[in-house]
Amino acid sequence: MKIVVLAGGRSPERNVSLSSGAKITNALREKGHAAVLIDLFLGDTLSDVHTVAEVFQRPAPAADYAISEEIITNDAIDALRTDATKGLFGPNVLEICTAADIVFLGLHGEAGENGKVQATFDLFGICYTGSDFISSGVTMNKRLAKQLLLQNKITTARYATVKVGQATPKLDFNFPIVVKPAQGGSSIGMEIVYDQETLVAALTTAWQFDNEVVLEEYIAGREFSVGVLNGQALPAIEITVADGWYDYEHKYQDNGATYQTPPQIPAAVHQQMQAMALQTMAALGLTNYGRIDFLWDGTTIYVIEGNSLPGMTPHSLLPQEAAAVGISYADLCEQIIAGKLAQGKV
Ligand SMILES: Nc1ncnc2c1ncn2[C@@H]1O[C@H](COP(=O)(O)OP(=O)(O)O)[C@@H](O)[C@H]1O
Ligand SMILES: [Mg+2]
C-alpha cells in the first residue's frame, strides 16, 4: 500500500509528532508498505524525484528523531520554512497525500488534532486514519468534551472555564486546582495551583496557549490510560511519576515515568475503566482508535480526557498497551489502517 505518514506540523508538539512519524514510517516499511514520512508544515520540494509517485520509493527515514526537552515555539517553526508558501500545508503535501492509498496521521496538537486537517482531507477526498473532523475538534476542546461526558453520565472532575482577561468565576470546588488551556496537549501550558496568587499566574501562562482555560478540581489518585483499537478496549496502563506530576518532561524523557500494563488493580475496576473508555469514545464520536485518560482515587474512576490521535512515540502509552496483548508496534499501525479502511472511505 502507498502510505503517507503525515507528521510535524505547526504546534508545540511538533517534535513529538516527528518522533511518532519516523517510528510509524519505519514500522510500515518493515511490513512491506511503500510508506513515506512527510512534514505537514515544511512539505516536500520533490527535488529528488520526477513524479509524485516516486516519493513512495524513497529510502527509509532516520530510525528515530530525538524529542528535545525544549518545547518548540511557533516562531521557531515558522523560521524553518524557507519558501514563500503560506498556510499550514507545506509545498506539495496535498498532491502527495492525494497519491497515497491512505494518510496515517502522526500529528499531535493544534490543527492535526483539532479536526482542521481532517476536514481539509474530506474536501480533497483523501483517506486518513483516526476519527473524523468533528469528533476530533470536540475531543480537542476540553470544555466541549467535558460537556459531552457529563451529558452521557460519564464521571469527570468538576470544572469551570475562564476566557482570556475574565475574572475567575466562583468555583464549587477548592484548591488545589488544575489549570489547563482548553485546547492543548502534552500537558503544555498546564499547572496545578494551591492558592489564588499562583492561580492568577497560571492563568496568564495558560492563556498564552488558548483564549479559553479550563479550571478543574484536582483529583488525588492513581493515573491510568486505556487505548481503544477498532472498538476493542486494550488493557489499561498505570502511569507513575516519582516526583511532581505527568507533565511534558515526564511524558517524553527517558525514565520520566514508569508504566505498568496490565495494572495491579482489582479486575472489576479494570473492567469498569475499559467500559468507560468505550463509552467515552462513543460520547465523543471517536472511531478507529483513540486513548482515554483516567484518575482513580480508590473509590471513583474519573475520565480526564480523550485523545483522538494518541502518541505513537517510543514512550507512548497505546503501543505499550497493544504490546501487552501481543500486538507489536508494526501490527498496531497496520491494524489502525485496516480498521479505517474497513469503515469505508472517509
Ligand atoms: N483533574 C485533575 N486532577 C489531577 N491531575 C490531573 C487532572 N487533570 C489532569 N491532570 C494531570 O495532568 C495531565 C495532563 O492533563 P490532560 O487533561 O490529560 O491534558 P493533556 O491534553 O495535556 O494531556 C494528566 O495526565 C494528569 O497527570
Ligand atoms: Mg492527557
Side-chain angles (χ1 to χ4, degrees):
M1 229 184 290
K2 283 187 293 192
I3 304 166
V4 167
V5 179
L6 196 60
R10 188 174 180 275
S11 98
E13 290 165 278
R14 175 183 165 80
N15 291 330
V16 179
S17 166
L18 285 169
S19 171
S20 290
K23 201 164 159 66
I24 297 163
T25 309
N26 286 308
L28 291 170
R29 292 252 180 169
E30 274 169 35
K31 287 280 184 183
H33 296 289
V36 62
L37 178 64
I38 300 290
D39 186 323
L40 171 65
F41 186 66
L42 297 188
D44 196 306
T45 57
L46 299 178
S47 54
D48 58 330
V49 291
H50 301 102
T51 63
V52 167
E54 279 176 38
V55 166
F56 295 93
Q57 286 142 34
R58 279 196 186 132
D64 271 319
Y65 280 77
I67 303 176
S68 65
E69 282 181 40
E70 266 171 56
I71 297 167
I72 191 161
T73 63
N74 280 346
D75 284 347
I77 299 170
D78 288 345
L80 296 173
R81 202 186 235 178
T82 49
D83 65 303
T85 336
K86 287 217 167 22
L88 181 68
F89 284 73
N92 302 308
V93 169
L94 282 170
E95 287 81 352
I96 298 168
C97 290
T98 303
D101 297 310
I102 189 163
V103 177
F104 197 115
L105 293 180
L107 299 165
H108 298 296
E110 295 185 13
E113 209 167 329
N114 67 12
K116 289 185 184 173
V117 170
Q118 290 82 346
T120 307
F121 281 180
D122 288 349
L123 297 178
F124 281 87
I126 295 168
C127 181
Y128 53 89
T129 55
S131 298
D132 66 10
F133 81 95
I134 202 145
S135 41
S136 303
V138 162
T139 303
M140 186 72 171
N141 185 311
K142 289 179 164 71
R143 172 177 55 81
L144 290 174
K146 281 177 89 78
Q147 284 171 356
L148 281 173
L149 292 178
L150 293 174
Q151 264 174 30
N152 286 276
K153 304 201 169 11
I154 298 168
T155 309
T156 183
R158 285 181 289 179
Y159 75 103
T161 57
V162 45
K163 289 232 171 89
V164 64
Q166 277 183 347
T168 318
K170 208 170 160 25
L171 305 174
D172 58 356
F173 48 91
N174 294 320
F175 288 103
I177 292 171
V178 188
V179 183
K180 322 179 173 183
Q183 301 186 79
S186 290
S187 305
I188 296 168
M190 272 188 58
E191 263 172 71
I192 297 169
V193 297
Y194 294 82
D195 54 47
Q196 190 63 31
E197 205 174 305
T198 40
L199 171 61
V200 171
L203 274 172
T204 309
T205 306
W207 280 326
Q208 286 170 18
F209 295 90
D210 195 346
N211 287 339
E212 192 172 25
V213 167
V214 173
L215 305 177
E216 233 179 75
E217 164 188 33
Y218 177 82
I219 306 295
R222 290 162 69 181
E223 180 160 359
F224 302 85
S225 196
V226 176
V228 176
L229 177 61
N230 299 323
Q232 301 287 323
L234 294 169
I237 189 165
E238 179 163 12
I239 300 132
T240 316
V241 292
D243 56 320
W245 59 285
Y246 197 38
D247 58 7
Y248 185 86
E249 283 73 28
H250 286 97
K251 281 180 175 172
Y252 300 114
Q253 295 309 315
D254 285 331
N255 309 320
T258 50
Y259 304 99
Q260 186 168 9
T261 179
Q264 281 183 322
I265 50 174
V269 173
H270 194 189
Q271 276 159 18
Q272 196 190 336
M273 227 176 249
Q274 288 180 311
M276 284 172 79
L278 295 177
Q279 287 161 9
T280 303
M281 290 285 289
L284 299 175
L286 299 175
T287 55
N288 192 200
Y289 77 116
R291 215 195 66 226
I292 312 300
D293 298 337
F294 294 92
L295 287 167
W296 179 50
D297 66 6
T299 312
T300 307
I301 302 170
Y302 297 84
V303 169
I304 313 179
E305 64 151 1
N307 298 280
S308 59
L309 284 180
M312 296 284 283
T313 71
H315 296 281
S316 296
L317 308 174
L318 186 80
Q320 296 189 57
E321 292 174 35
V325 286
I327 303 173
S328 70
Y329 185 88
D331 286 341
L332 173 62
C333 296
E334 264 200 328
Q335 287 185 26
I336 289 169
I337 292 173
K340 184 66 185 211
L341 292 175
Q343 287 174 16
K345 284 246 162 185
V346 188

